Amino acid sequence: MSSKLVVGVLALQGDFERHLFRLNALGVGGREIRSCEDIEGLDGLIIPGGESTTMSLLIDRFEMRGCLSQFCRQKGVWGTCAGMIMLAREIDDERVKPFGVIDIFVSRNSYGRQVHSFFADIEANLNGQIKRLKASFIRAPLILNYGSNVIVLAEYNHSPVLLYQNNCLASSFHTELDDDLTLTKYFLENFVLVYK
Amino acid sequence: MNLEDKDYKIRVGLAEMLKGGVIMDVVSADQAKIAEQSGACAVMALERVPADIRAEGGVARMADPSIIEAIKKAVSIPVMAKCRIGHFAEAEILEALEVDFIDESEVLTPADNQYHIDKWKFKIPFVCGCRNLGEALRRISEGAAMIRTKGEAGTGDVSEAVRHLREINSAMKRLTVMSDDELFGSAKELASPIELVRMVARLGKLPVPNFAAGGVATPADAALVMKLGAEAVFVGSGIFKSSNPEKRARAIVTAVAQFRNPKAVADASRGLGEAMKGTSAASIPQENLLQVR
């Protein structure tokens, strides 16, 4: 992996540290993103898990909606859990204002509260190869429907949980909580490098 | 104790999701909504905030389930609730109510003066307070998925939280430079399992998220504990005992998200009205301190 790559992780609130740790393990320069200035020179961006209401509020409070929205339309971006919610076209909760870059309709916390959070081994179709991923679903969102431009890479219980549209990848689960680098690598090779 | 257990990792996972955020004590649905609108990443449902528990005295217990349920209905962010130390029946009730996190808290009157709850038996994650590394590692060995400093709750005086953060940090730093035989000695001194002591020596940090709590009353207090290594902040009485809770809540969230940027914290600190009056922790007699529980 090119050591010159710099990938940002939105660090206003949430699970940014584990993503930075995984990027670091792959020899990529990770950067905490807390303002528009931090986006300068980035090759890609991860929007982590966390609370989407909090993230959406803080994006507006710190006047980051414009620069993030623009970045999500140009470079490789990966949203995990709350991050996926932020990339969606529509959410079932008006407290969250998404960027609308992936044509999915998402229901927040749809698997239920924390007592219903779970771990699953799932199979994803990554570049024509079936890969097993260690997936943590934590108060996870559920994709209720998606448009024809969306490519689904993995399903769980007949619902899409990993998908992409153009330059944006989204997963409703977390792999960064385990030492599973498969998806991080896939994101770097197929999104960050492609849309650099 | 198995930190690699999948269900345990899911519990720690929620703690990871709360990093960089502010968890606010609330006693009603209205306060919970104010907290959520200010950008809190979770709320702690209580019957009385710590400052009132301190002032009123008496036995402090788990909140009435109807308060917890009203708060759960009012917001979409995670809802935590406190049970008494060692009171596993209260914890079972909170689990049945499907709160997202249980705080086995010294702010409430301890139910068991000898044992903490065996937290491995629960599906819901627990957070526990600590004053030093030994306490933190013992709580983790009992199954806590998150650690917070105790500070001295309900005072509005951040000095005890600072003391506890510094104490834990320097104890962890010392472990990182020790040889294997020295680590055995440390495990004995810390009265903690050697596996956990070795893990801290290797990582230089706790194996679970480490948050600050106890006495945070201003945006500057929040920035201070973040700079001292806390990964998120609990605010108890500091918000709803101040003259303008909406503004202060918002300002403390801003300060935590932008703790590296003093100008942003300065902007957030402007014109907040009066902070909670508070009590200096040093003026409280030893027997009235909550942190020694």
Side-chain angles (χ1 to χ4, degrees):
Chain A
M1 199 72 53
S2 161
S3 61
K4 283 174 196 155
L5 278 186
V6 182
V7 172
V9 184
L10 189 65
L12 297 178
Q13 192 276 317
D15 174 35
F16 49 89
E17 197 202 8
R18 290 285 185 113
H19 275 298
L20 288 164
F21 192 71
R22 302 297 167 217
L23 289 171
N24 202 26
L26 290 168
V28 173
R31 189 193 293 170
E32 291 182 10
I33 305 299
R34 295 172 197 267
S35 70
C36 283
E37 290 85 78
D38 295 336
I39 291 173
E40 194 74 27
L42 280 192
D43 299 310
L45 175 71
I46 296 174
I47 306 181
E51 284 306 310
S52 55
T53 40
T54 305
M55 260 183 232
S56 181
L57 257 165
L58 294 183
I59 284 167
D60 287 323
R61 187 177 302 171
F62 305 137
E63 296 172 347
M64 296 176 73
R65 188 161 291 276
C67 63
L68 286 174
S69 181
Q70 197 186 1
F71 194 90
C72 289
R73 284 166 171 82
Q74 290 168 343
K75 303 269 184 151
V77 177
W78 177 21
T80 60
C81 196
M84 178 179 89
I85 293 174
M86 291 310 300
L87 298 179
R89 159 178 51 89
E90 200 184 345
I91 312 298
D92 67 343
D93 186 337
E94 59 188 20
R95 283 172 279 211
V96 181
K97 291 189 214 88
F99 294 125
V101 286
I102 302 184
D103 190 5
I104 46 176
F105 178 51
V106 181
S107 173
R108 293 184 62 214
N109 308 138
S110 233
Y111 291 92
R113 306 191 74 92
Q114 173 64 13
V115 70
H116 305 293
S117 293
F118 60 99
F119 176 89
D121 277 314
I122 62 166
E123 291 188 339
N125 182 350
L126 305 181
N127 295 326
Q129 282 186 314
I130 302 298
K131 299 266 187 183
R132 287 179 83 82
L133 301 174
K134 293 179 185 173
S136 298
F137 291 84
I138 296 177
R139 285 169 49 94
L142 188 66
I143 295 164
L144 299 180
N145 64 56
Y146 57 96
S148 56
N149 291 328
V150 173
I151 316 279
V152 175
L153 301 174
E155 290 188 338
Y156 182 78
N157 268 352
H158 312 295
S159 291
V161 292
L162 175 66
L163 47 79
Y164 72 93
Q165 180 175 342
N166 301 326
N167 56 317
C168 295
L169 176 70
S171 56
S172 58
F173 56 87
H174 303 273
T175 55
E176 76 283 357
L177 296 175
D178 282 278
D179 49 5
D180 183 347
L181 295 170
T182 313
L183 210 46
T184 308
K185 240 190 223 162
Y186 173 77
F187 166 64
L188 293 170
E189 285 165 4
N190 296 276
F191 293 85
V192 177
L193 285 175
V194 171
Y195 291 92
K196 198 171 176 292
Chain B
M1 181 184 74
N2 175 12
L3 300 194
E4 293 302 312
D5 175 72
K6 289 189 166 60
D7 292 329
Y8 180 68
K9 281 182 154 181
I10 289 289
R11 297 197 285 274
V12 176
L14 181 59
E16 293 285 342
M17 299 307 139
L18 299 172
K19 279 185 178 175
V22 181
I23 301 149
M24 300 183 190
D25 279 5
V26 297
V27 300
S28 67
D30 286 343
Q31 288 189 355
K33 279 184 198 155
I34 290 172
E36 183 174 63
Q37 284 157 12
S38 74
C41 67
V43 290
M44 177 77 71
L46 285 166
E47 212 158 278
R48 294 181 287 170
V49 294
D52 289 336
I53 291 173
R54 188 175 281 288
E56 291 162 20
V59 176
R61 310 177 177 91
M62 176 190 82
D64 184 322
S66 60
I67 293 179
I68 295 168
E69 275 158 354
I71 288 167
K72 270 175 59 191
K73 218 173 275 172
V75 294
S76 68
I77 52 179
V79 174
M80 304 186 174
K82 288 185 196 287
C83 72
R84 285 178 264 176
I85 290 174
H87 206 315
F88 54 88
E90 281 188 349
E92 286 168 6
I93 292 167
L94 294 176
E95 182 163 68
L97 293 171
E98 296 200 357
V99 302
D100 296 293
F101 232 106
I102 297 172
D103 184 0
E104 186 182 19
S105 176
E106 71 284 358
V107 168
L108 305 183
T109 311
D112 191 323
N113 291 316
Q114 209 175 351
Y115 302 113
H116 278 69
I117 296 172
D118 176 1
K119 293 164 275 284
W120 293 104
K121 291 189 174 144
F122 290 79
K123 276 204 80 180
I124 308 265
F126 278 75
V127 51
C128 288
C130 69
R131 290 173 298 168
N132 52 50
L133 185 58
E135 284 187 359
L137 297 183
R138 288 195 293 279
R139 298 296 86 80
I140 294 168
S141 73
E142 295 158 0
M146 180 204 290
I147 291 297
R148 58 170 174 76
T149 58
K150 287 179 172 173
E152 188 55 33
T155 58
D157 180 350
V158 77
S159 64
E160 290 299 298
V162 167
R163 185 212 303 273
H164 300 156
L165 273 171
R166 285 205 182 270
E167 169 66 38
I168 294 166
N169 286 344
S170 69
M172 290 195 295
K173 246 183 246 164
R174 285 198 296 275
L175 291 185
T176 62
V177 293
M178 283 184 187
S179 60
D180 287 350
D181 43 358
E182 287 172 310
L183 289 177
F184 281 109
S186 287
K188 191 176 160 194
E189 274 166 35
L190 294 166
S192 304
I194 181 69
E195 303 93 292
L196 284 180
V197 172
R198 282 205 192 106
M199 200 179 276
V200 172
R202 188 163 44 83
L203 298 171
K205 58 183 293 189
L206 295 177
V208 302
N210 181 16
F211 292 8
V216 173
T218 68
D221 289 348
L224 175 67
V225 291
M226 289 296 286
K227 281 176 180 268
L228 287 171
E231 295 172 306
V233 180
F234 284 86
V235 186
S237 320
I239 289 168
F240 291 99
K241 285 287 162 191
S242 75
S243 65
N244 189 339
E246 285 92 340
K247 235 176 153 179
R248 187 164 295 270
R250 202 183 132 99
I252 291 177
V253 171
T254 296
V256 170
Q258 302 287 355
F259 74 96
R260 290 192 216 279
N261 178 353
K263 200 184 158 296
V265 181
D267 288 343
S269 304
R270 233 170 245 132
L272 298 182
E274 249 177 87
M276 73 179 280
K277 183 161 179 289
T279 322
S280 145
S283 71
I284 299 171
Q286 180 73 18
E287 64 271 23
N288 293 345
L289 290 174
L290 301 178
Q291 60 176 277
V292 298
R293 290 171 163 179

